[in-house]
PDB file of all heavy atoms in Angstrom:
ATOM      1  N   ALA A  48     129.900  97.383  99.641  1.00 84.00           N
ATOM      2  CA  ALA A  48     130.773  98.148  98.742  1.00 84.00           C
ATOM      3  C   ALA A  48     131.857  98.876  99.530  1.00 84.00           C
ATOM      4  O   ALA A  48     133.020  98.939  99.106  1.00 84.00           O
ATOM      5  CB  ALA A  48     129.941  99.147  97.938  1.00 84.00           C
ATOM      6  N   SER A  49     131.510  99.408 100.700  1.00 79.00           N
ATOM      7  CA  SER A  49     132.466 100.149 101.520  1.00 79.00           C
ATOM      8  C   SER A  49     133.570  99.252 102.066  1.00 79.00           C
ATOM      9  O   SER A  49     134.697  99.693 102.286  1.00 79.00           O
ATOM     10  CB  SER A  49     131.733 100.837 102.684  1.00 79.00           C
ATOM     11  OG  SER A  49     130.789 101.772 102.202  1.00 79.00           O
ATOM     12  N   PHE A  50     133.241  97.985 102.281  1.00 82.00           N
ATOM     13  CA  PHE A  50     134.241  97.014 102.757  1.00 82.00           C
ATOM     14  C   PHE A  50     135.012  96.374 101.612  1.00 82.00           C
ATOM     15  O   PHE A  50     135.826  95.475 101.826  1.00 82.00           O
ATOM     16  CB  PHE A  50     133.575  95.923 103.596  1.00 82.00           C
ATOM     17  CG  PHE A  50     133.273  96.332 104.999  1.00 82.00           C
ATOM     18  CD1 PHE A  50     131.963  96.469 105.431  1.00 82.00           C
ATOM     19  CD2 PHE A  50     134.305  96.604 105.900  1.00 82.00           C
ATOM     20  CE1 PHE A  50     131.676  96.844 106.733  1.00 82.00           C
ATOM     21  CE2 PHE A  50     134.025  96.978 107.206  1.00 82.00           C
ATOM     22  CZ  PHE A  50     132.708  97.110 107.630  1.00 82.00           C
ATOM     23  N   GLY A  51     134.758  96.831 100.394  1.00 81.00           N
ATOM     24  CA  GLY A  51     135.497  96.341  99.249  1.00 81.00           C
ATOM     25  C   GLY A  51     135.091  94.965  98.761  1.00 81.00           C
ATOM     26  O   GLY A  51     135.870  94.285  98.077  1.00 81.00           O
ATOM     27  N   ILE A  52     133.860  94.537  99.085  1.00 85.00           N
ATOM     28  CA  ILE A  52     133.398  93.215  98.655  1.00 85.00           C
ATOM     29  C   ILE A  52     133.212  93.175  97.135  1.00 85.00           C
ATOM     30  O   ILE A  52     133.483  92.172  96.484  1.00 85.00           O
ATOM     31  CB  ILE A  52     132.077  92.838  99.356  1.00 85.00           C
ATOM     32  CG1 ILE A  52     132.256  92.851 100.874  1.00 85.00           C
ATOM     33  CG2 ILE A  52     131.578  91.481  98.876  1.00 85.00           C
ATOM     34  CD1 ILE A  52     133.299  91.875 101.372  1.00 85.00           C
ATOM     35  N   PHE A  53     132.729  94.309  96.580  1.00 83.00           N
ATOM     36  CA  PHE A  53     132.543  94.386  95.129  1.00 83.00           C
ATOM     37  C   PHE A  53     133.781  95.034  94.493  1.00 83.00           C
ATOM     38  O   PHE A  53     134.088  96.191  94.777  1.00 83.00           O
ATOM     39  CB  PHE A  53     131.312  95.225  94.769  1.00 83.00           C
ATOM     40  CG  PHE A  53     130.039  94.698  95.366  1.00 83.00           C
ATOM     41  CD1 PHE A  53     129.238  95.514  96.145  1.00 83.00           C
ATOM     42  CD2 PHE A  53     129.628  93.390  95.141  1.00 83.00           C
ATOM     43  CE1 PHE A  53     128.055  95.055  96.691  1.00 83.00           C
ATOM     44  CE2 PHE A  53     128.451  92.911  95.691  1.00 83.00           C
ATOM     45  CZ  PHE A  53     127.662  93.737  96.471  1.00 83.00           C
ATOM     46  N   GLU A  54     134.463  94.301  93.658  1.00 80.00           N
ATOM     47  CA  GLU A  54     135.594  94.881  92.944  1.00 80.00           C
ATOM     48  C   GLU A  54     135.075  95.768  91.817  1.00 80.00           C
ATOM     49  O   GLU A  54     134.293  95.323  90.974  1.00 80.00           O
ATOM     50  CB  GLU A  54     136.493  93.783  92.365  1.00 80.00           C
ATOM     51  CG  GLU A  54     137.712  94.344  91.632  1.00 80.00           C
ATOM     52  CD  GLU A  54     138.589  93.244  91.064  1.00 80.00           C
ATOM     53  OE1 GLU A  54     139.016  92.367  91.847  1.00 80.00           O
ATOM     54  OE2 GLU A  54     138.836  93.258  89.843  1.00 80.00           O
ATOM     55  N   GLN A  55     135.494  97.015  91.814  1.00 77.00           N
ATOM     56  CA  GLN A  55     135.000  97.959  90.809  1.00 77.00           C
ATOM     57  C   GLN A  55     135.786  97.825  89.507  1.00 77.00           C
ATOM     58  O   GLN A  55     136.504  98.736  89.083  1.00 77.00           O
ATOM     59  CB  GLN A  55     135.090  99.390  91.364  1.00 77.00           C
ATOM     60  CG  GLN A  55     134.259  99.625  92.611  1.00 77.00           C
ATOM     61  CD  GLN A  55     132.778  99.370  92.401  1.00 77.00           C
ATOM     62  OE1 GLN A  55     132.209  99.714  91.361  1.00 77.00           O
ATOM     63  NE2 GLN A  55     132.147  98.728  93.369  1.00 77.00           N
ATOM     64  N   ASN A  56     135.624  96.668  88.856  1.00 83.00           N
ATOM     65  CA  ASN A  56     136.304  96.467  87.575  1.00 83.00           C
ATOM     66  C   ASN A  56     135.372  96.798  86.416  1.00 83.00           C
ATOM     67  O   ASN A  56     134.187  97.098  86.610  1.00 83.00           O
ATOM     68  CB  ASN A  56     136.833  95.032  87.450  1.00 83.00           C
ATOM     69  CG  ASN A  56     135.734  93.995  87.605  1.00 83.00           C
ATOM     70  OD1 ASN A  56     134.619  94.172  87.128  1.00 83.00           O
ATOM     71  ND2 ASN A  56     136.039  92.883  88.285  1.00 83.00           N
ATOM     72  N   ALA A  57     135.887  96.731  85.192  1.00 86.00           N
ATOM     73  CA  ALA A  57     135.130  97.105  84.004  1.00 86.00           C
ATOM     74  C   ALA A  57     133.912  96.209  83.794  1.00 86.00           C
ATOM     75  O   ALA A  57     132.839  96.678  83.385  1.00 86.00           O
ATOM     76  CB  ALA A  57     136.027  97.067  82.769  1.00 86.00           C
ATOM     77  N   GLN A  58     134.044  94.919  84.081  1.00 88.00           N
ATOM     78  CA  GLN A  58     132.938  93.984  83.881  1.00 88.00           C
ATOM     79  C   GLN A  58     131.765  94.281  84.807  1.00 88.00           C
ATOM     80  O   GLN A  58     130.605  94.312  84.377  1.00 88.00           O
ATOM     81  CB  GLN A  58     133.426  92.548  84.111  1.00 88.00           C
ATOM     82  CG  GLN A  58     134.289  91.991  82.994  1.00 88.00           C
ATOM     83  CD  GLN A  58     134.673  90.542  83.275  1.00 88.00           C
ATOM     84  OE1 GLN A  58     135.056  90.175  84.387  1.00 88.00           O
ATOM     85  NE2 GLN A  58     134.576  89.709  82.248  1.00 88.00           N
ATOM     86  N   ILE A  59     132.058  94.496  86.083  1.00 87.00           N
ATOM     87  CA  ILE A  59     130.996  94.792  87.049  1.00 87.00           C
ATOM     88  C   ILE A  59     130.359  96.143  86.756  1.00 87.00           C
ATOM     89  O   ILE A  59     129.134  96.310  86.862  1.00 87.00           O
ATOM     90  CB  ILE A  59     131.554  94.732  88.491  1.00 87.00           C
ATOM     91  CG1 ILE A  59     131.826  93.280  88.869  1.00 87.00           C
ATOM     92  CG2 ILE A  59     130.599  95.380  89.482  1.00 87.00           C
ATOM     93  CD1 ILE A  59     132.325  93.074  90.279  1.00 87.00           C
ATOM     94  N   HIS A  60     131.173  97.112  86.382  1.00 87.00           N
ATOM     95  CA  HIS A  60     130.627  98.426  86.034  1.00 87.00           C
ATOM     96  C   HIS A  60     129.692  98.324  84.825  1.00 87.00           C
ATOM     97  O   HIS A  60     128.632  98.965  84.797  1.00 87.00           O
ATOM     98  CB  HIS A  60     131.767  99.406  85.734  1.00 87.00           C
ATOM     99  CG  HIS A  60     131.294 100.794  85.421  1.00 87.00           C
ATOM    100  ND1 HIS A  60     130.692 101.597  86.360  1.00 87.00           N
ATOM    101  CD2 HIS A  60     131.330 101.511  84.253  1.00 87.00           C
ATOM    102  CE1 HIS A  60     130.379 102.756  85.795  1.00 87.00           C
ATOM    103  NE2 HIS A  60     130.745 102.720  84.532  1.00 87.00           N
ATOM    104  N   HIS A  61     130.061  97.488  83.871  1.00 90.00           N
ATOM    105  CA  HIS A  61     129.241  97.318  82.676  1.00 90.00           C
ATOM    106  C   HIS A  61     127.904  96.653  83.010  1.00 90.00           C
ATOM    107  O   HIS A  61     126.840  97.098  82.546  1.00 90.00           O
ATOM    108  CB  HIS A  61     129.992  96.486  81.638  1.00 90.00           C
ATOM    109  CG  HIS A  61     129.175  96.165  80.416  1.00 90.00           C
ATOM    110  ND1 HIS A  61     128.851  97.122  79.477  1.00 90.00           N
ATOM    111  CD2 HIS A  61     128.607  94.993  79.994  1.00 90.00           C
ATOM    112  CE1 HIS A  61     128.122  96.556  78.524  1.00 90.00           C
ATOM    113  NE2 HIS A  61     127.949  95.271  78.814  1.00 90.00           N
ATOM    114  N   ILE A  62     127.933  95.588  83.825  1.00 90.00           N
ATOM    115  CA  ILE A  62     126.694  94.886  84.168  1.00 90.00           C
ATOM    116  C   ILE A  62     125.810  95.758  85.047  1.00 90.00           C
ATOM    117  O   ILE A  62     124.572  95.675  85.001  1.00 90.00           O
ATOM    118  CB  ILE A  62     126.999  93.528  84.855  1.00 90.00           C
ATOM    119  CG1 ILE A  62     125.770  92.604  84.760  1.00 90.00           C
ATOM    120  CG2 ILE A  62     127.394  93.706  86.307  1.00 90.00           C
ATOM    121  CD1 ILE A  62     125.422  92.164  83.378  1.00 90.00           C
ATOM    122  N   TYR A  63     126.422  96.629  85.864  1.00 89.00           N
ATOM    123  CA  TYR A  63     125.664  97.582  86.682  1.00 89.00           C
ATOM    124  C   TYR A  63     124.857  98.528  85.788  1.00 89.00           C
ATOM    125  O   TYR A  63     123.640  98.694  85.965  1.00 89.00           O
ATOM    126  CB  TYR A  63     126.621  98.376  87.569  1.00 89.00           C
ATOM    127  CG  TYR A  63     126.029  99.650  88.143  1.00 89.00           C
ATOM    128  CD1 TYR A  63     125.204  99.612  89.252  1.00 89.00           C
ATOM    129  CD2 TYR A  63     126.316 100.891  87.568  1.00 89.00           C
ATOM    130  CE1 TYR A  63     124.660 100.771  89.779  1.00 89.00           C
ATOM    131  CE2 TYR A  63     125.788 102.055  88.090  1.00 89.00           C
ATOM    132  CZ  TYR A  63     124.958 101.988  89.191  1.00 89.00           C
ATOM    133  OH  TYR A  63     124.419 103.134  89.701  1.00 89.00           O
ATOM    134  N   LYS A  64     125.531  99.125  84.816  1.00 88.00           N
ATOM    135  CA  LYS A  64     124.861 100.065  83.917  1.00 88.00           C
ATOM    136  C   LYS A  64     123.812  99.366  83.070  1.00 88.00           C
ATOM    137  O   LYS A  64     122.712  99.890  82.848  1.00 88.00           O
ATOM    138  CB  LYS A  64     125.892 100.752  83.018  1.00 88.00           C
ATOM    139  CG  LYS A  64     126.812 101.724  83.744  1.00 88.00           C
ATOM    140  CD  LYS A  64     127.703 102.492  82.779  1.00 88.00           C
ATOM    141  CE  LYS A  64     126.877 103.392  81.873  1.00 88.00           C
ATOM    142  NZ  LYS A  64     127.745 104.207  80.976  1.00 88.00           N
TER     143      LYS A  64
END
Side-chain angles (χ1 to χ4, degrees):
S49 298
F50 281 113
I52 302 300
F53 302 125
E54 181 180 304
Q55 299 300 320
N56 57 39
Q58 286 183 316
I59 288 182
H60 182 67
H61 175 72
I62 200 66
Y63 163 80
K64 291 187 65 177

